[in-house]
Amino acid sequence: MELPPKGRVEGARSKLCLKCKTAKPSITIRRSLYCKDCFVRASVSKFRSALSKSRKRMPASRAQVMVALSGGATSSAMLQLMADYQRMELKGFAAEPTYTGVVVGHVDESALFSGYSDSQICDIATAIEVECHVARLEDVFTLEGDQAALLELVHATIAPGTTRDQFCVQLTRGDVSTPAREQLRALFAGLGSATDREDMLDIIKSFLLARLARQAQCGLLLLGDSGTRIASKLVSLTSRGRGFSLPLEAGAEAPFLGSSSGVTAYRPMRDFIMKEIAFFNLWTAQPSVVVPTFTTGAPETASIDRLTEAFVVGLDRDFCSTVSTVCRTVQKLELRPDALTAAQCIICSMPAEASAQAWRNRLTVNVAPKDQPLEQVAVSSADVQPPQSTFDVTAHLCYSCQSLLHFAKPGVALPAFCLQNYREQIAGAKPGGSESDVGAHLQQSQERLRQQIEEFFI
C-alpha cells in the first residue's frame, strides 16, 4: 500500500481539531483549531486551572466566595464556570471543598443608565441557584442616613508657577428634599470628561462590591476581567496616573481596595480573550445583559478607556499574542515598598504616593487667562491660605484622583465614603505628623476639620 506524501498528511491533520484530532474545527484561537465540544471542555479546564492557582484559603467564617456579576459576557461566563466548579467539588471530587458556598454581588446602575434592571441580573443568578446580593449606586450618599455629612468640592487652585495645587472642600449635610439618585447624577454631571465619569463609576462600584462582600462574609471576590480587559486596563490606568497602584488594580490576586477592606480580589478570567468568552456563552447558551456605559455609541476617542481598548483589540487582531504577552507582564508587577505603608487616597482607597503632588506640578501645563498678565497669575499657592470654612485635602489624594477633580465643577458633593476615609485618617493622625509633608497650613486645616466633625467620630 502506497502511503500519501508527508506534506499531504500534515495538511489534512491541520484541518482537524487540535484536541480530538477527528472533528472539523469550529473556532481558531491564537492559530489553534478547536471543535465546539473540545473548545468548551478546554475553557472549563482553563478556568479551573486559573482558580486553583489562588492559594487563598479562608477561615470557616469567611469561606464563601462572591462573584461580581455586572451582567456582561465575561462575568456571566465566570458565574457559570464558578457554579460548575463548586458543584463538582461538593459532589466529592475534591477531598476538601475550597469554598463553602458561592454568592453573587451586583451593583445596580439603573440610576445612570436606562434599558435594564437588576431583576435581569438576579434572573441569571437564580437560574444557576445562586443567591444574589444587590447594591445601588445611589447608596453611597445614604451610608449614614439621608442627612449624612458629605465633602463638597469648593475650588481647585491651579495656576502657572504655583508650588503645589490646592483641592479645597467644605463639610455639608445631605438635603432630605434631594433624592440620592439626584445627588448621584449631579456628581457625574459635575465631572469634566467621560474619562473622569468612568473613573468615578469604577471607584463607586468597587466600594459597593467590597461592602457587599463584607456583609456576606466573603473573603474572596471574583472579578470578571478578561485578558483583553486587563491588557487595556494596563495602558489606560498607566495613562491616567495609576501606575503606583497598578499591581492592586490589575494583578491576578491582590487586596481589594487596599489592605483595609479585608477582601481579596481574584481575576480567574485573565487567560480568556473576548473572542473565547463570546463563543463560550454562545455554545453553552449562557445569557448576558447589555448594560450601557457613558461611551456607548460614542467614537473611540470618547474616553481613554475606550481608546485603549480599541488599540489593544486592533493590535491583537494582527498580532494574536499581544493580549497574552501584556497579561504576563502585568503578573510580574510588584508594589513598591513605600506603597505598602503609604496613606490611602480618600476617594479611590488606593495608595497615594507622597510625591504625587510635586510630580503633578512638574508635568501640568497651565494657560494664563488672556486678559491677565502671567506675572499676576503666577502666585505661589503655598502662600494662599484656604478660607476658614474649607479644608485642603490635596495631600490625601492620589495623582489620578487629583486629575479627576481637576476639571470638576465647584459644588460637587463627593460620596459619603470619602468623608469616612478622611475621618479615619484625621482621627488616626498624630499631632504634627503631617507638618513636614504638606506644611503648617494643612495641620491647621485638619484641626479645624477635627473640631467640626468631632460629633461624627465613632
mmCIF file of all heavy atoms in Angstrom, residues 401-430:
data_model
loop_
_atom_site.group_PDB
_atom_site.id
_atom_site.type_symbol
_atom_site.label_atom_id
_atom_site.label_comp_id
_atom_site.label_asym_id
_atom_site.label_seq_id
_atom_site.Cartn_x
_atom_site.Cartn_y
_atom_site.Cartn_z
ATOM 1 N N CYS A 401 -6.645 60.810 41.256
ATOM 2 C CA CYS A 401 -7.831 61.487 41.788
ATOM 3 C C CYS A 401 -7.658 63.005 41.792
ATOM 4 O O CYS A 401 -8.644 63.749 41.735
ATOM 5 C CB CYS A 401 -8.150 60.967 43.188
ATOM 6 S SG CYS A 401 -8.812 59.282 43.180
ATOM 7 N N GLN A 402 -6.430 63.491 41.870
ATOM 8 C CA GLN A 402 -6.212 64.918 41.674
ATOM 9 C C GLN A 402 -6.592 65.317 40.253
ATOM 10 O O GLN A 402 -7.215 66.365 40.036
ATOM 11 C CB GLN A 402 -4.754 65.265 41.956
ATOM 12 C CG GLN A 402 -4.356 65.178 43.421
ATOM 13 C CD GLN A 402 -2.928 65.637 43.669
ATOM 14 O OE1 GLN A 402 -2.373 66.412 42.902
ATOM 15 N NE2 GLN A 402 -2.320 65.140 44.743
ATOM 16 N N SER A 403 -6.221 64.485 39.295
ATOM 17 C CA SER A 403 -6.620 64.748 37.909
ATOM 18 C C SER A 403 -8.126 64.627 37.749
ATOM 19 O O SER A 403 -8.735 65.344 36.947
ATOM 20 C CB SER A 403 -5.912 63.766 36.970
ATOM 21 O OG SER A 403 -4.504 63.888 37.068
ATOM 22 N N LEU A 404 -8.742 63.721 38.494
ATOM 23 C CA LEU A 404 -10.192 63.553 38.437
ATOM 24 C C LEU A 404 -10.927 64.817 38.868
ATOM 25 O O LEU A 404 -11.936 65.211 38.272
ATOM 26 C CB LEU A 404 -10.596 62.370 39.318
ATOM 27 C CG LEU A 404 -12.093 62.093 39.498
ATOM 28 C CD1 LEU A 404 -12.705 61.619 38.196
ATOM 29 C CD2 LEU A 404 -12.320 61.064 40.590
ATOM 30 N N LEU A 405 -10.421 65.479 39.915
ATOM 31 C CA LEU A 405 -11.064 66.695 40.424
ATOM 32 C C LEU A 405 -10.581 67.957 39.728
ATOM 33 O O LEU A 405 -11.078 69.048 40.021
ATOM 34 C CB LEU A 405 -10.802 66.821 41.932
ATOM 35 C CG LEU A 405 -11.346 65.710 42.823
ATOM 36 C CD1 LEU A 405 -11.029 66.010 44.284
ATOM 37 C CD2 LEU A 405 -12.848 65.539 42.628
ATOM 38 N N HIS A 406 -9.613 67.808 38.825
ATOM 39 C CA HIS A 406 -9.014 68.976 38.173
ATOM 40 C C HIS A 406 -10.066 69.840 37.487
ATOM 41 O O HIS A 406 -10.096 71.065 37.628
ATOM 42 C CB HIS A 406 -7.967 68.502 37.173
ATOM 43 C CG HIS A 406 -7.151 69.605 36.570
ATOM 44 N ND1 HIS A 406 -5.779 69.640 36.667
ATOM 45 C CD2 HIS A 406 -7.488 70.716 35.883
ATOM 46 C CE1 HIS A 406 -5.316 70.724 36.061
ATOM 47 N NE2 HIS A 406 -6.345 71.377 35.563
ATOM 48 N N PHE A 407 -10.940 69.205 36.701
ATOM 49 C CA PHE A 407 -11.950 69.954 35.940
ATOM 50 C C PHE A 407 -13.347 69.788 36.521
ATOM 51 O O PHE A 407 -14.331 70.092 35.843
ATOM 52 C CB PHE A 407 -11.938 69.498 34.479
ATOM 53 C CG PHE A 407 -10.654 69.808 33.759
ATOM 54 C CD1 PHE A 407 -9.755 68.806 33.455
ATOM 55 C CD2 PHE A 407 -10.343 71.109 33.394
ATOM 56 C CE1 PHE A 407 -8.568 69.085 32.787
ATOM 57 C CE2 PHE A 407 -9.152 71.400 32.742
ATOM 58 C CZ PHE A 407 -8.270 70.381 32.432
ATOM 59 N N ALA A 408 -13.452 69.281 37.745
ATOM 60 C CA ALA A 408 -14.769 69.148 38.372
ATOM 61 C C ALA A 408 -15.339 70.520 38.727
ATOM 62 O O ALA A 408 -14.607 71.444 39.079
ATOM 63 C CB ALA A 408 -14.663 68.280 39.623
ATOM 64 N N LYS A 409 -16.657 70.632 38.632
ATOM 65 C CA LYS A 409 -17.311 71.906 38.918
ATOM 66 C C LYS A 409 -17.395 72.138 40.425
ATOM 67 O O LYS A 409 -17.601 71.192 41.187
ATOM 68 C CB LYS A 409 -18.716 71.919 38.317
ATOM 69 C CG LYS A 409 -18.755 71.783 36.805
ATOM 70 C CD LYS A 409 -20.179 71.758 36.297
ATOM 71 C CE LYS A 409 -20.228 71.585 34.781
ATOM 72 N NZ LYS A 409 -21.612 71.512 34.281
ATOM 73 N N PRO A 410 -17.237 73.372 40.882
ATOM 74 C CA PRO A 410 -17.419 73.658 42.310
ATOM 75 C C PRO A 410 -18.835 73.295 42.752
ATOM 76 O O PRO A 410 -19.798 73.457 42.001
ATOM 77 C CB PRO A 410 -17.179 75.172 42.398
ATOM 78 C CG PRO A 410 -16.355 75.497 41.187
ATOM 79 C CD PRO A 410 -16.815 74.565 40.115
ATOM 80 N N GLY A 411 -18.952 72.809 43.954
ATOM 81 C CA GLY A 411 -20.254 72.408 44.470
ATOM 82 C C GLY A 411 -20.542 70.931 44.328
ATOM 83 O O GLY A 411 -21.597 70.465 44.781
ATOM 84 N N VAL A 412 -19.643 70.173 43.708
ATOM 85 C CA VAL A 412 -19.840 68.731 43.566
ATOM 86 C C VAL A 412 -19.668 68.067 44.926
ATOM 87 O O VAL A 412 -18.642 68.249 45.588
ATOM 88 C CB VAL A 412 -18.851 68.142 42.538
ATOM 89 C CG1 VAL A 412 -18.858 66.627 42.596
ATOM 90 C CG2 VAL A 412 -19.197 68.612 41.142
ATOM 91 N N ALA A 413 -20.671 67.302 45.351
ATOM 92 C CA ALA A 413 -20.604 66.582 46.623
ATOM 93 C C ALA A 413 -20.037 65.198 46.375
ATOM 94 O O ALA A 413 -20.559 64.434 45.566
ATOM 95 C CB ALA A 413 -21.993 66.489 47.251
ATOM 96 N N LEU A 414 -18.958 64.853 47.070
ATOM 97 C CA LEU A 414 -18.317 63.555 46.924
ATOM 98 C C LEU A 414 -19.087 62.488 47.686
ATOM 99 O O LEU A 414 -19.816 62.799 48.633
ATOM 100 C CB LEU A 414 -16.871 63.623 47.429
ATOM 101 C CG LEU A 414 -15.965 64.635 46.717
ATOM 102 C CD1 LEU A 414 -14.582 64.647 47.366
ATOM 103 C CD2 LEU A 414 -15.839 64.314 45.233
ATOM 104 N N PRO A 415 -18.977 61.220 47.295
ATOM 105 C CA PRO A 415 -19.676 60.149 48.024
ATOM 106 C C PRO A 415 -19.323 60.131 49.503
ATOM 107 O O PRO A 415 -18.258 60.592 49.922
ATOM 108 C CB PRO A 415 -19.187 58.873 47.312
ATOM 109 C CG PRO A 415 -18.807 59.327 45.938
ATOM 110 C CD PRO A 415 -18.275 60.727 46.107
ATOM 111 N N ALA A 416 -20.217 59.557 50.295
ATOM 112 C CA ALA A 416 -20.056 59.605 51.747
ATOM 113 C C ALA A 416 -18.815 58.864 52.223
ATOM 114 O O ALA A 416 -18.241 59.217 53.260
ATOM 115 C CB ALA A 416 -21.304 59.015 52.420
ATOM 116 N N PHE A 417 -18.374 57.842 51.485
ATOM 117 C CA PHE A 417 -17.197 57.102 51.952
ATOM 118 C C PHE A 417 -15.925 57.934 51.872
ATOM 119 O O PHE A 417 -14.938 57.603 52.533
ATOM 120 C CB PHE A 417 -17.040 55.791 51.176
ATOM 121 C CG PHE A 417 -16.862 55.942 49.689
ATOM 122 C CD1 PHE A 417 -15.642 56.282 49.139
ATOM 123 C CD2 PHE A 417 -17.931 55.718 48.835
ATOM 124 C CE1 PHE A 417 -15.473 56.423 47.769
ATOM 125 C CE2 PHE A 417 -17.782 55.837 47.462
ATOM 126 C CZ PHE A 417 -16.549 56.199 46.926
ATOM 127 N N CYS A 418 -15.921 59.012 51.096
ATOM 128 C CA CYS A 418 -14.750 59.895 51.059
ATOM 129 C C CYS A 418 -14.547 60.568 52.415
ATOM 130 O O CYS A 418 -13.421 60.678 52.896
ATOM 131 C CB CYS A 418 -14.919 60.937 49.956
ATOM 132 S SG CYS A 418 -15.002 60.261 48.282
ATOM 133 N N LEU A 419 -15.642 61.021 53.009
ATOM 134 C CA LEU A 419 -15.544 61.623 54.341
ATOM 135 C C LEU A 419 -15.177 60.576 55.383
ATOM 136 O O LEU A 419 -14.410 60.858 56.316
ATOM 137 C CB LEU A 419 -16.863 62.301 54.714
ATOM 138 C CG LEU A 419 -16.920 62.943 56.105
ATOM 139 C CD1 LEU A 419 -15.830 63.988 56.270
ATOM 140 C CD2 LEU A 419 -18.290 63.541 56.380
ATOM 141 N N GLN A 420 -15.703 59.362 55.223
ATOM 142 C CA GLN A 420 -15.335 58.291 56.153
ATOM 143 C C GLN A 420 -13.837 58.020 56.106
ATOM 144 O O GLN A 420 -13.195 57.887 57.154
ATOM 145 C CB GLN A 420 -16.117 57.018 55.811
ATOM 146 C CG GLN A 420 -17.604 57.094 56.091
ATOM 147 C CD GLN A 420 -18.314 55.809 55.725
ATOM 148 O OE1 GLN A 420 -17.735 54.888 55.161
ATOM 149 N NE2 GLN A 420 -19.600 55.734 56.049
ATOM 150 N N ASN A 421 -13.285 57.952 54.912
ATOM 151 C CA ASN A 421 -11.849 57.708 54.780
ATOM 152 C C ASN A 421 -11.037 58.866 55.346
ATOM 153 O O ASN A 421 -10.008 58.672 56.002
ATOM 154 C CB ASN A 421 -11.495 57.491 53.308
ATOM 155 C CG ASN A 421 -12.113 56.229 52.736
ATOM 156 O OD1 ASN A 421 -12.447 55.302 53.465
ATOM 157 N ND2 ASN A 421 -12.281 56.194 51.426
ATOM 158 N N TYR A 422 -11.497 60.089 55.076
ATOM 159 C CA TYR A 422 -10.791 61.266 55.595
ATOM 160 C C TYR A 422 -10.872 61.307 57.120
ATOM 161 O O TYR A 422 -9.907 61.626 57.809
ATOM 162 C CB TYR A 422 -11.403 62.512 54.982
ATOM 163 C CG TYR A 422 -10.551 63.759 55.106
ATOM 164 C CD1 TYR A 422 -9.221 63.697 55.505
ATOM 165 C CD2 TYR A 422 -11.078 65.006 54.807
ATOM 166 C CE1 TYR A 422 -8.440 64.829 55.605
ATOM 167 C CE2 TYR A 422 -10.299 66.153 54.888
ATOM 168 C CZ TYR A 422 -8.987 66.054 55.304
ATOM 169 O OH TYR A 422 -8.210 67.175 55.394
ATOM 170 N N ARG A 423 -12.033 60.964 57.642
ATOM 171 C CA ARG A 423 -12.225 60.969 59.098
ATOM 172 C C ARG A 423 -11.270 59.979 59.763
ATOM 173 O O ARG A 423 -10.687 60.277 60.820
ATOM 174 C CB ARG A 423 -13.672 60.591 59.408
ATOM 175 C CG ARG A 423 -14.026 60.532 60.879
ATOM 176 C CD ARG A 423 -15.369 59.860 61.062
ATOM 177 N NE ARG A 423 -16.390 60.485 60.244
ATOM 178 C CZ ARG A 423 -17.551 59.889 59.954
ATOM 179 N NH1 ARG A 423 -17.790 58.679 60.379
ATOM 180 N NH2 ARG A 423 -18.441 60.523 59.228
ATOM 181 N N GLU A 424 -11.113 58.795 59.171
ATOM 182 C CA GLU A 424 -10.210 57.798 59.735
ATOM 183 C C GLU A 424 -8.767 58.278 59.720
ATOM 184 O O GLU A 424 -8.016 58.045 60.669
ATOM 185 C CB GLU A 424 -10.343 56.486 58.967
ATOM 186 C CG GLU A 424 -11.696 55.809 59.140
ATOM 187 C CD GLU A 424 -11.838 54.596 58.246
ATOM 188 O OE1 GLU A 424 -10.880 54.298 57.500
ATOM 189 O OE2 GLU A 424 -12.907 53.953 58.280
ATOM 190 N N GLN A 425 -8.384 58.960 58.638
ATOM 191 C CA GLN A 425 -7.013 59.461 58.563
ATOM 192 C C GLN A 425 -6.778 60.576 59.575
ATOM 193 O O GLN A 425 -5.726 60.630 60.210
ATOM 194 C CB GLN A 425 -6.717 59.959 57.148
ATOM 195 C CG GLN A 425 -6.651 58.853 56.110
ATOM 196 C CD GLN A 425 -6.092 59.339 54.799
ATOM 197 O OE1 GLN A 425 -5.408 60.355 54.728
ATOM 198 N NE2 GLN A 425 -6.377 58.605 53.730
ATOM 199 N N ILE A 426 -7.750 61.464 59.735
ATOM 200 C CA ILE A 426 -7.593 62.567 60.688
ATOM 201 C C ILE A 426 -7.588 62.037 62.118
ATOM 202 O O ILE A 426 -6.785 62.444 62.957
ATOM 203 C CB ILE A 426 -8.714 63.601 60.515
ATOM 204 C CG1 ILE A 426 -8.650 64.223 59.119
ATOM 205 C CG2 ILE A 426 -8.618 64.682 61.580
ATOM 206 C CD1 ILE A 426 -7.356 64.940 58.842
ATOM 207 N N ALA A 427 -8.482 61.087 62.400
ATOM 208 C CA ALA A 427 -8.568 60.544 63.759
ATOM 209 C C ALA A 427 -7.314 59.778 64.123
ATOM 210 O O ALA A 427 -6.896 59.755 65.285
ATOM 211 C CB ALA A 427 -9.793 59.641 63.886
ATOM 212 N N GLY A 428 -6.692 59.122 63.125
ATOM 213 C CA GLY A 428 -5.501 58.333 63.410
ATOM 214 C C GLY A 428 -4.209 59.090 63.270
ATOM 215 O O GLY A 428 -3.134 58.552 63.554
ATOM 216 N N ALA A 429 -4.270 60.363 62.821
ATOM 217 C CA ALA A 429 -3.053 61.150 62.618
ATOM 218 C C ALA A 429 -2.504 61.628 63.956
ATOM 219 O O ALA A 429 -3.240 62.037 64.849
ATOM 220 C CB ALA A 429 -3.347 62.343 61.717
ATOM 221 N N LYS A 430 -1.204 61.582 64.095
ATOM 222 C CA LYS A 430 -0.562 62.092 65.293
ATOM 223 C C LYS A 430 -0.387 63.595 65.187
ATOM 224 O O LYS A 430 -0.195 64.124 64.104
ATOM 225 C CB LYS A 430 0.798 61.428 65.493
ATOM 226 C CG LYS A 430 0.724 59.926 65.716
ATOM 227 C CD LYS A 430 2.099 59.339 65.903
ATOM 228 C CE LYS A 430 2.020 57.829 66.127
ATOM 229 N NZ LYS A 430 3.357 57.245 66.297
#
